[in-house]
Amino acid sequence: MSDHSDARSRFLRLHDALRTRICMLDYPPGTRLSEETLAAEFGTSRTPLRRVLARLEDEGLVISQHGVGTIVTDVDAEEMARTYDLRRELAGLVGRLSPVPVSDEIIKEAADFLDAGKILLKQPDTRALAELNMDYFHFGTSLTNNLALREMSERLYYRTARIWLTATPRLDLAEETAIFVSELRDSFQALVARDGQAAADVRRAHISLCIARLNRHMA
Amino acid sequence: MSDHSDARSRFLRLHDALRTRICMLDYPPGTRLSEETLAAEFGTSRTPLRRVLARLEDEGLVISQHGVGTIVTDVDAEEMARTYDLRRELAGLVGRLSPVPVSDEIIKEAADFLDAGKILLKQPDTRALAELNMDYFHFGTSLTNNLALREMSERLYYRTARIWLTATPRLDLAEETAIFVSELRDSFQALVARDGQAAADVRRAHISLCIARLNRHMA
DNA sequence: TAGGATTTGTGCGTATGTATT
DNA sequence: TAATACATACGCACAAATCCT
C-alpha cells in the first residue's frame, strides 16, 4: 500500500489543492499563506503542511521567510518569457522523444476536449477556459512516454500558468477562447491522422503565438 | 540577509553534501540513510534534515517509506536512457535560448578545464574524472541566461550522474578520460571562435556518444 | 502468529527572526 | 529606541508502520 499510504496521498492532495489555488489566482501574488490557518482548514497539524509549502517553494510558487511568512511569488515578466521559450521547445520534443502511438482512446479524448471547447465558445468564462487549458496541457504531456520530459514540462507549466490569467483582463476573452478552440481543432485533426509529431508541432506553434500575444499586451 | 539566513544556507549545504555523496556513489543505490545518524553528523535535529531528504525524494534520488527508511534509489537503465535523450536536447538548447555572449573570462575557464583534463590523462582516476565532469557540466549550463533551462538541465544531470560511475568499472577508464578531454578541446576551440552554439553542439554530440557507449556496455 | 526493535510521520511547545507601534 | 505581536524554524516526544525473530 505504499502508493496509497496516508502520508503520501495527503501530501499529493494538499500540494495539488494549493498549487491550483495559486495558479488560478485564488491566491494572487503577494498573498500570505498562514501555516496555521491552512493546517486548520485541512485538518492536520502544521508539520505535514510545512512540507507542502517547502515543495511549493522549490517549485518557485511561494517563498518562505523566517519571521515574515509564506508569500505567493510575483510573476516576473522577463523570466516568464524565458520559461515560455523553453516550454515551446519541450512541447515540440513531445512528438520526437518516445512518442506514444496514437490510439483510438487518445483520439476520443481529443474529441472530448474539442467538444468542451466549443461549449465554451458560446458561454465564454475565464476560469473555465483556464481549467480546460490545464486539463488539455496534461493530455498533451501524456503523449510522450519520456517520464523526465513529462515532469519537466509540467513543472514549467505550473510556473507560468498564472501569467495568462493575470494578463487576461487586458486580453479579449472571446478571442482567446476562439484561438484555444482552433488549437484544439488542429490538434484533433493531427491525431485523427495518427500524426503525433504534427500534434506536438501544433502545440509548439500555439505556444509561440501565445508568447507573441502576451508580449504585445505587456508593452 | 535573506540569502544568507542560517536556515537557508544550511539547507543548501546539507542538500549539496548528500546529493554529491549519492551521485559519487559514496552512498550506492540501496543504501539506507538514517535521519538520526545524519542529523547527528551534521549537528542538527531531524527536522531540518527531513526537509533535505524530502527534496532529494522530489528529485528522485531517494525514496522514503514509513516504517522502513530512506533508501537511495536504483538507476533504472530504461528511464536513464530516456532522461539522457532529454539532456541531449537541452544541451543543444543552451546555444539557442538566451546564450551568454562568449567573453574572455569564459574562454579562460574553458582553457582551465582543458588543462585539468590533460593532467588527468597522465594520471587517470575515476573519481577525479567524475568530479571534473560535474564541474564542467555546471560551466556548460552557465552559458545560457535562461534560468529555467539551467535548472532543468541540472535537475536532470544529477538524476543521471550515477549511471556513468556505475558503468565505469566495465568501461575503459583511460579511454573515457581521453574522450572527455577531446570534448574539452572541441569545446574550447568553439569558444575561442566565440561560437556558443558550436560549443553547445559539441556538448550535444558528446552526450549522444555517451548514450551509445553506455548502451553498448549495458548489453 | 505474536511481539519487540527500528524507522519514518505527526503534533506541539519553544526559539528565533521580522515588522510595527 | 524598545517593546509587543506574530510568523516561520527547530527540537523533542510520541504515534504509526514495517521487519525480523
Side-chain angles (χ1 to χ4, degrees):
Chain A
M1 289 297 228
S2 63
D3 277 356
H4 295 83
S5 76
D6 283 346
R8 196 174 301 275
S9 67
R10 177 172 65 177
F11 171 81
L12 293 174
R13 191 163 41 87
L14 297 193
H15 176 259
D16 191 64
L18 292 183
R19 187 176 60 178
T20 299
R21 290 182 189 179
I22 292 171
C23 293
M24 289 297 171
L25 297 189
D26 296 326
Y27 296 145
T31 304
R32 252 200 13 218
L33 304 184
S34 163
E35 295 180 352
E36 202 157 0
T37 305
L38 288 173
E41 179 193 339
F42 291 109
T44 72
S45 75
R46 287 175 47 210
T47 305
L49 201 119
R50 276 178 60 75
R51 178 167 173 172
V52 173
L53 293 179
R55 173 141 171 191
L56 291 173
E57 186 171 17
D58 286 343
E59 296 170 333
L61 298 182
V62 304
I63 182 168
S64 290
Q65 281 180 291
H66 193 176
V68 179
T70 302
I71 289 144
V72 176
T73 54
D74 207 341
V75 288
D76 175 55
E78 183 61 23
E79 190 187 337
M80 286 304 108
R82 300 287 80 77
T83 307
Y84 255 106
D85 289 340
L86 181 53
R87 279 191 55 198
R88 181 192 58 215
E89 302 302 328
L90 294 186
L93 288 175
V94 167
R96 295 207 291 117
L97 302 184
S98 309
V100 173
V102 180
S103 64
D104 292 342
E105 173 64 25
I106 288 174
I107 294 174
K108 186 189 178 308
E109 281 188 76
D112 290 344
F113 276 111
L114 181 53
D115 289 341
K118 285 176 179 172
I119 291 175
L120 228 53
L121 270 179
K122 294 166 187 166
Q123 211 163 0
D125 178 74
T126 303
R127 187 180 183 105
L129 179 56
E131 286 175 350
L132 185 62
N133 184 64
M134 188 175 284
D135 290 340
Y136 176 66
F137 171 80
H138 284 114
F139 168 68
T141 61
S142 74
L143 296 180
T144 176
N145 280 318
N146 189 312
L147 197 60
L149 177 54
R150 273 218 281 253
E151 287 179 15
M152 296 301 125
S153 297
E154 293 189 1
R155 199 175 170 88
L156 295 175
Y157 172 79
Y158 285 110
R159 207 151 145 177
T160 57
R162 290 176 289 167
I163 199 171
W164 182 86
L165 268 175
T166 43
T168 209
R170 290 183 287 178
L171 298 176
D172 184 328
L173 176 58
E175 185 187 341
E176 288 294 316
T177 306
I179 291 172
F180 179 59
V181 171
S182 79
E183 175 178 355
L184 291 176
R185 189 174 289 114
D186 293 345
S187 172
F188 172 68
Q189 289 176 344
L191 290 171
V192 165
R194 312 267 170 177
D195 190 337
Q197 179 60 57
D201 288 338
V202 165
R203 179 145 204 84
R204 190 180 188 286
H206 276 269
I207 291 178
S208 287
L209 296 175
C210 186
I211 294 173
R213 281 202 312 286
L214 287 173
N215 280 339
R216 187 150 23 105
H217 287 263
M218 287 291 178
Chain B
M1 287 300 216
S2 62
D3 276 355
H4 295 84
S5 75
D6 283 346
R8 195 174 303 273
S9 67
R10 176 172 67 177
F11 170 82
L12 292 174
R13 191 163 41 85
L14 297 193
H15 176 259
D16 191 64
L18 292 183
R19 188 176 58 177
T20 299
R21 291 182 189 178
I22 292 171
C23 292
M24 289 296 171
L25 297 187
D26 296 325
Y27 295 147
T31 305
R32 251 199 14 219
L33 304 185
S34 163
E35 295 180 353
E36 203 158 0
T37 304
L38 289 174
E41 180 192 338
F42 291 108
T44 72
S45 75
R46 285 176 51 209
T47 305
L49 199 118
R50 275 178 60 74
R51 179 167 171 171
V52 173
L53 292 179
R55 174 141 168 192
L56 290 172
E57 187 170 16
D58 285 343
E59 296 169 334
L61 298 182
V62 304
I63 182 167
S64 292
Q65 281 180 290
H66 192 179
V68 179
T70 302
I71 288 142
V72 176
T73 55
D74 207 341
V75 288
D76 176 56
E78 183 60 23
E79 190 186 336
M80 286 305 109
R82 299 288 78 78
T83 306
Y84 255 105
D85 289 340
L86 181 53
R87 278 192 55 199
R88 182 192 59 216
E89 302 302 327
L90 294 186
L93 288 176
V94 167
R96 295 206 292 116
L97 302 185
S98 310
V100 173
V102 180
S103 63
D104 292 341
E105 174 64 27
I106 287 174
I107 293 174
K108 186 189 178 308
E109 281 189 77
D112 290 344
F113 276 113
L114 181 54
D115 289 341
K118 284 176 179 172
I119 292 174
L120 228 55
L121 270 180
K122 295 165 186 166
Q123 211 164 0
D125 178 74
T126 303
R127 189 183 181 104
L129 178 57
E131 285 175 350
L132 185 61
N133 184 63
M134 190 177 282
D135 291 340
Y136 176 67
F137 171 79
H138 284 113
F139 168 68
T141 60
S142 75
L143 296 180
T144 177
N145 280 319
N146 189 314
L147 198 61
L149 176 54
R150 274 218 281 253
E151 286 179 16
M152 296 301 125
S153 297
E154 294 190 359
R155 199 176 170 88
L156 294 175
Y157 172 79
Y158 284 109
R159 203 150 149 180
T160 57
R162 291 177 289 168
I163 200 171
W164 183 85
L165 268 175
T166 325
T168 208
R170 290 184 286 178
L171 298 177
D172 183 330
L173 177 58
E175 185 187 339
E176 287 293 317
T177 307
I179 291 172
F180 180 59
V181 171
S182 78
E183 174 178 355
L184 292 176
R185 189 174 289 114
D186 293 345
S187 173
F188 172 67
Q189 290 177 344
L191 291 172
V192 165
R194 312 267 171 177
D195 190 338
Q197 179 60 57
D201 287 338
V202 165
R203 179 145 203 86
R204 190 181 189 284
H206 276 270
I207 291 178
S208 287
L209 296 176
C210 185
I211 294 173
R213 283 204 308 287
L214 288 172
N215 280 338
R216 186 149 25 104
H217 288 263
M218 287 291 178

